[in-house]
């Protein structure tokens, strides 16, 4: 007579023969181009996914270091989530080509483009690549508008469910929880910034326009004359004149931008330079999307209160 243990062993052997896994199911391997997309994928995927971002939080998403190790990461991915609108055009195409992974090829279920469905701001009427502008299909920094985040997470839940139907309920629950928190948070953020309606700011790059649109702020100028073009002395002179004329006292820079340029302008305009990160993990207390937005809103509200 066989013991229970022997029976279990025999059953496991048969299941393995039939290709039925007895080991824990494989998690979906999700790769995102930028850390903000990774933070959102973690919220929706939870324990059913493994998430990795290609770019570091302190890297400019337009100019990521295309290390060969990223090819291996892309080769093993079940899902690739990109910002789209040519945000990654400067570094991703050769990596993707070398990775030779049909699961994440353009048009595959495993390829998610965040810009899909987003109402893009600043779409140029005509576009001349020779001028070096890196926003040919409109402004790709749209995740600072929480309503665009809602579109993104819905798309994630949908695709993750197609690729891993047995976890569909988990993704659905995570999506509902995330959206409920987002609604509460958005109301809080709007309340915190409401007293500063129309507040004027200058940014280094055109990376805060969606935030400004959602929270009724005004981006008066950028230190870059065009997205991706380094500030020139002639342009900086214009920015200083405009800041003085419009009474602007707040300049926003991200960790990978040239803070020195911002400081030079600030000295001549009696402005403050605020370090603000758009990528979770780039600064202290910004590890999740909610923590990041809390940090941004709090920093802005404090600066506006002081520089009214
Ligand atoms: Zn940009």
């Amino acid at each position: 007579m066989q013991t229970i243990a022997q029976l279990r062993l025999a059953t496991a052997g048969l299941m393995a023969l039939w290709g039925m896994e007895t080991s824990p199911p494989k998690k979906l391997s999700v790769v995102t181009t930028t850390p903000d997309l990774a933070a959102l994928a973690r919220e929706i995927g939870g324990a059913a996914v493994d998430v990795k971002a290609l770019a570091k939080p302190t890297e400019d998403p337009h100019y990521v270091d295309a290390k060969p190790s990223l090819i291996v990461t892309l080769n093993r991915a079940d899902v690739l989530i990109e910002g789209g609108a040519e945000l990654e055009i400067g570094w991703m195409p050769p990596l993707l080509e070398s990775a030779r992974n049909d699961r994440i090829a353009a048009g595959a279920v495993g390829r998610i483009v965040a810009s899909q469905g987003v109402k893009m701001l600043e779409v140029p009427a005509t576009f001349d690549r020779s001028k070096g502008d890196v926003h040919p299909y409109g402004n790709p920094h749209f995740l600072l508008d929480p309503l665009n985040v809602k579109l993104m997470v819905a798309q994630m839940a949908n695709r993750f469910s197609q690729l891993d139907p047995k976890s569909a309920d988990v993704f659905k629950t995570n999506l509902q929880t995330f959206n409920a928190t987002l609604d509460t948070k958005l109301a809080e953020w709007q309340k915190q910034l409401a007293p500063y309606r129309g507040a004027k700011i200058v940014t280094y790059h055109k990376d805060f326009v969606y935030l400004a649109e959602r929270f009724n702020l005004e981006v008066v100028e950028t230190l870059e004359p065009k997205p991706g073009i380094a500030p020139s002395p002639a342009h900086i002179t214009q920015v200083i004149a405009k800041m003085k004329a419009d009474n602007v006292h707040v300049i926003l820079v991200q960790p990978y931008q040239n803070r020195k340029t911002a400081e030079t302008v600030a000295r001549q305009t009696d402005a403050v330079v605020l370090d603000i990160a758009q990528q979770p993990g780039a600064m202290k207390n910004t590890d999740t999307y909610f923590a990041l937005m809390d940090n941004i809103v709090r920093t802005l509200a404090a600066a506006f209160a002081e520089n009214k």
Side-chain angles (χ1 to χ4, degrees):
M1 214 179 134
Q2 286 181 313
T3 63
I4 303 254
Q6 280 171 328
L7 271 174
R8 281 211 184 112
L9 210 64
T11 314
L14 276 174
M15 285 171 81
L17 270 177
W18 296 332
M20 292 166 73
E21 300 272 337
T22 51
S23 55
K26 186 181 166 288
K27 292 181 181 192
L28 270 186
S29 166
V30 178
V31 173
T32 72
T33 55
T34 48
D36 49 359
L37 293 167
L40 296 173
R42 283 187 193 104
E43 300 272 1
I44 304 308
V49 300
D50 266 327
V51 183
K52 231 183 237 169
L54 297 174
K56 292 192 194 105
T58 47
E59 268 182 312
D60 185 334
H62 288 291
Y63 309 103
V64 172
D65 182 10
K67 295 186 297 276
S69 63
L70 302 184
I71 296 169
V72 181
T73 305
L74 283 166
N75 174 264
R76 292 174 184 164
D78 298 312
V79 181
L80 171 62
I81 309 176
E82 64 179 316
E86 293 207 347
L87 175 68
E88 298 94 348
I89 194 87
W91 58 275
M92 199 174 64
L95 292 175
L96 212 45
E97 199 174 315
S98 305
R100 298 172 176 272
N101 179 350
D102 289 344
R103 294 188 298 279
I104 56 168
V109 184
R111 180 74 165 270
I112 306 179
V113 184
S115 62
Q116 212 173 35
V118 170
K119 188 177 162 281
M120 301 294 285
L121 299 178
E122 303 181 331
V123 179
T126 57
F127 182 70
D128 182 358
R129 239 171 245 280
S130 67
K131 287 180 188 149
D133 189 332
V134 292
H135 292 175
Y137 294 112
N139 193 307
H141 308 286
F142 44 77
L143 288 179
L144 289 190
D145 179 351
L147 296 191
N148 289 335
V149 165
K150 270 199 171 178
L151 294 173
M152 175 73 280
V153 290
Q155 218 195 145
M156 284 180 184
N158 180 347
R159 295 292 186 90
F160 291 176
S161 301
Q162 284 184 55
L163 291 162
D164 179 10
K166 68 181 180 326
S167 303
D169 284 346
V170 174
F171 301 139
K172 195 178 163 192
T173 307
N174 290 349
L175 178 66
Q176 285 167 345
T177 307
F178 180 85
N179 279 337
T181 310
L182 191 66
D183 288 341
T184 310
K185 281 292 193 180
L186 177 56
E188 270 176 42
W189 297 328
Q190 280 172 323
K191 204 175 151 194
Q192 276 173 277
L193 288 173
Y196 312 109
R197 193 183 175 86
K200 292 171 178 170
I201 56 175
V202 162
T203 63
Y204 188 93
H205 181 74
K206 282 202 161 192
D207 39 14
F208 289 93
V209 295
Y210 292 85
L211 183 93
E213 177 95 352
R214 178 59 53 205
F215 297 99
N216 302 301
L217 311 174
E218 191 191 334
V219 183
V220 171
E221 261 294 355
T222 54
L223 300 184
E224 288 180 340
K226 274 183 183 300
I229 309 293
S232 62
H235 178 70
I236 290 299
T237 305
Q238 276 179 34
V239 173
I240 291 170
K242 180 99 168 111
M243 284 179 73
K244 285 179 175 167
D246 284 12
N247 216 11
V248 186
H249 297 287
V250 176
I251 306 175
L252 272 49
V253 292
Q254 297 215 49
Y256 49 81
Q257 294 166 347
N258 191 337
R259 199 180 199 281
K260 282 225 165 81
T261 308
E263 285 165 0
T264 307
V265 174
R267 269 195 298 275
Q268 296 181 58
T269 53
D270 193 22
V272 288
V273 178
L274 297 185
D275 297 293
I276 294 207
Q278 217 162 70
Q279 295 298 333
M283 290 168 61
K284 248 201 253 170
N285 303 322
T286 62
D287 284 344
T288 65
Y289 182 75
F290 295 124
L292 177 86
M293 286 296 292
D294 276 343
N295 189 289
I296 294 174
V297 170
R298 200 172 35 222
T299 308
L300 284 175
F304 295 148
E306 263 181 46
N307 292 280
K308 252 188 164 174

